[in-house]
Amino acid sequence: MDVFFETLRIMVEGMAGIFLAISLFFIVIKLMIRVFPEKNC
Amino acid sequence: MDQLLYGIKALNPSQVIMFLTGGVLIYLAIKKEYEPMLLLPIGFGAILANIPYSSAISHDGFLALLFKAGILTELFPVLIFIAVGAMIDFTPLLQQPFMLFFGAAAQFGIFFTMAMAALFGFDLKEAASIGIIGAADGPTSIYVATKFARHLLAPISVAAYSYMSLVPIIQPPVIRLLTTPAERRIHMRPEFNIKISKTVQILFPIVITIIAGIIAPISVALVGSLMFGNLIRVSGVLDRLSKAAQNELANLVTLLLGITIGSTMTAEQFLNPATLLIIAMGLVAFIFDTAGGVIFAKILNLFLKNKINPMVGAAGISAFPMSARVIQKMAQQEDPSNFVLMQAVGANVAGQLGSIIAGGLILTLVK
C-alpha cells in the first residue's frame, strides 16, 4: 500500500505540475501574440 | 543431421505462441490498417526474436545492436520527436491557447493508471512506466519505460501503439457515457480570424523549451527535440531539412524503432500474466484520459458564458490527429452543422505538449 499512496502523491504533484507548465505556456503565448501581432511582421 | 535439426528441436510452444502474436500484429497492420508503420515491424521483429538461436538477437545480432544503439541510449524516441515536431502545425493552438488546458486535463489517465498498477503489485517505477501508456504517445512511453522498467518495454510499447490506433473505438463510448446529446450539440465560437505572426511562431518552440526545461529539466531531451523539429519547420529557411525530418528521418527511425521493439518480445519476457495486466491497464489509461478531458470541460462550462463542447476535452490526449477527427465525426453525428474540428485539433496538439510534460514530470517525481 505504500507504493499506492506514493502514486497518489505523484498524481497530485504531477497534475499540479502539468497545469502549472500549461498555465505558463498560456500566459507566454498570450503575451507573445500581444507583443508581436501579425501586422508588425 | 543434428545441425539441421537443432533449431527445430529447440522450438517450444511459447515461441510458437509468439509467432502467432507477431502474426496477429502483422494482420492488424495490413488488414485493419492499425498503425501499420509500427505494428508491422513490431510483429515481424517478434517473429525474428523468437526463432530458436536467432542470430538477429544474439550478442552481436543486428537487432541487439539496434536495441543498444537506439533504445538504451534513448536515441530513437528523441529522433522521432524531431520528426514529429517538424510535422506539427501549432497554429490552431496559438490561435486558441485556451485549448492548452485540455492537453493538461487529458493526462489524468496516466496518473490514475499508475495508481491502479501499484494496487496490482507493480513497484513504483513499473507502475509509472505502465501509467505513461496514457500519454498516448509512443516515443514518450518508450523513453520512460527504458529509464524505469526496461523489462516491460515490449508490452508497454505494443499497448501504447495499439491503443493509439484504437482511439476511434475507445473514445466514443466513454464520451457518450459522460455527455448528454445537448452537450454534444454545443457549437463553439470560432477563433480562427486571429493571425499568428512569424515571430510568435518562431519564438514559441524556443520559449516552450526553456519553460518546460526549467520546470522539469529531465524533459529537455523530449521537449527540446520536439521543439527543435518545429523550429526547423517554422523558421522558413530550412525547408529541405524540415522535409527531411518529416519524411526520411521519420520513416527511417520508425522502421528501425518498430522492428527493434518487436525484438524485445521474446517468449520468456512477453508471455506472462504481467503482459495481460499491462495491456488491460493501457486501456484504462486511455479511458481515464478521455474522461479527464471531458469532465474538465464540463466543470469549465459551469463558469463560462460561451460554453465549450465537452467532447473537445477528450481531444486533449496526444493521439494526433486521430482524436480530433473522432470528435468532429461525433459532433456531426449529433448535429451535421456543427464544426468543432479546429478546436479539437488545438486541444489535440496541446495533448502532444501535455504528454511530454507529463513524461518529464513522471521522470522527475518518481525516485
Side-chain angles (χ1 to χ4, degrees):
Chain A
M1 285 306 273
D2 283 353
V3 177
F4 174 69
F5 288 119
E6 182 68 2
T7 61
L8 295 185
R9 179 192 66 80
I10 292 169
M11 183 189 289
V12 172
E13 290 182 10
M15 286 307 289
I18 294 173
F19 273 99
L20 170 69
I22 291 292
S23 301
L24 289 173
F25 294 168
F26 177 77
I27 294 166
V28 163
I29 292 171
K30 284 281 190 189
L31 265 175
M32 287 194 302
I33 289 173
R34 187 159 290 189
V35 175
F36 304 107
E38 166 68 3
K39 60 177 183 280
N40 288 350
C41 295
Chain B
M1 193 63 183
D2 269 0
Q3 279 177 330
L4 290 177
L5 293 177
Y6 85 116
I8 295 172
K9 283 179 186 168
L11 192 66
N12 60 49
S14 57
Q15 287 164 326
V16 176
I17 293 172
M18 289 311 297
F19 291 160
L20 293 173
T21 307
V24 169
L25 294 178
I26 293 170
Y27 171 81
L28 291 174
I30 296 172
K31 203 73 182 169
K32 302 282 180 186
E33 292 190 29
Y34 290 164
E35 293 281 340
M37 285 179 73
L38 279 148
L39 290 192
L40 191 147
I42 289 176
F44 195 72
I47 292 172
L48 288 180
N50 286 285
I51 294 172
Y53 308 114
S54 170
S55 62
I57 57 162
S58 62
H59 180 66
D60 51 0
F62 83 103
L63 291 178
L65 291 177
L66 283 175
F67 184 76
K68 283 178 208 153
I71 304 287
L72 292 187
T73 60
E74 293 140 16
L75 189 62
F76 285 168
V78 165
L79 290 176
I80 287 277
F81 270 123
I82 293 176
V84 171
M87 289 177 200
I88 295 182
D89 179 7
F90 282 108
T91 311
L93 181 63
L94 293 170
Q95 286 172 320
Q96 37 181 357
F98 190 70
M99 292 298 148
L100 273 167
F101 293 99
F102 297 116
Q107 307 307 321
F108 175 69
I110 295 175
F111 298 100
F112 181 85
T113 308
M114 187 177 162
M116 288 297 101
L119 279 182
F120 277 107
F122 289 97
D123 70 31
L124 190 58
K125 288 189 172 178
E126 289 172 338
S129 303
I130 294 166
I132 205 74
I133 295 172
D137 180 346
T140 303
S141 300
I142 292 168
Y143 193 88
V144 173
T146 305
K147 279 201 184 292
F148 280 169
R150 211 169 281 167
H151 57 292
L152 300 179
L153 185 60
I156 287 171
S157 312
V158 171
Y161 282 113
S162 303
Y163 289 131
M164 273 162 63
S165 67
L166 293 175
V167 158
I169 296 166
I170 298 169
Q171 285 205 308
V174 181
I175 294 169
R176 280 196 202 98
L177 190 72
L178 294 171
T179 55
T180 63
E183 284 175 323
R184 296 197 290 273
R185 281 195 290 270
I186 292 175
H187 284 236
M188 290 176 70
R189 204 157 48 95
E191 292 177 33
F192 306 109
N193 49 353
I194 303 164
K195 293 268 186 283
I196 303 298
S197 69
K198 188 86 181 161
T199 313
V200 172
Q201 288 185 344
I202 290 169
L203 282 175
F204 175 74
I206 299 168
V207 172
I208 294 296
T209 305
I210 293 170
I211 294 175
I214 289 170
I215 291 174
I218 204 161
S219 71
V220 169
L222 294 175
V223 181
S225 52
L226 182 85
M227 291 302 163
F228 172 58
N230 191 252
L231 184 60
I232 290 173
R233 175 194 174 100
V234 297
S235 68
V237 293
L238 295 173
D239 209 34
R240 251 177 54 207
L241 290 191
S242 171
K243 286 199 171 79
Q246 293 176 46
N247 298 300
E248 287 84 358
L249 182 67
N251 292 340
L252 192 61
V253 182
T254 302
L255 177 84
L256 298 178
L257 181 73
I259 199 162
T260 310
I261 292 295
S263 74
T264 63
M265 289 172 65
T266 53
E268 57 270 28
Q269 282 207 8
F270 199 79
L271 289 183
N272 55 56
T275 297
L276 286 179
L277 256 180
I278 290 167
I279 304 263
M281 277 187 287
L283 180 61
V284 171
F286 273 65
I287 289 171
F288 279 85
D289 278 347
T290 305
V294 172
I295 292 169
F296 181 67
K298 286 174 72 118
I299 293 170
L300 286 180
N301 276 347
L302 298 174
F303 307 100
L304 294 174
K305 203 169 81 181
N306 294 318
K307 303 291 182 202
I308 294 165
N309 188 321
M311 293 197 296
V312 168
I317 72 167
S318 173
F320 179 83
M322 211 177 304
S323 185
R325 285 189 201 140
V326 168
I327 304 309
Q328 171 60 18
K329 197 175 162 195
M330 287 185 74
Q332 293 220 299
Q333 279 168 353
E334 290 293 339
D335 176 357
S337 69
N338 197 1
F339 289 92
V340 293
L341 182 65
M342 289 314 283
Q343 287 89 347
V345 167
N348 217 177
V349 171
Q352 291 268 328
L353 282 179
S355 67
I356 295 179
I357 301 295
L361 284 167
I362 290 234
L363 291 171
T364 305
L365 294 171
V366 175
K367 300 289 177 206

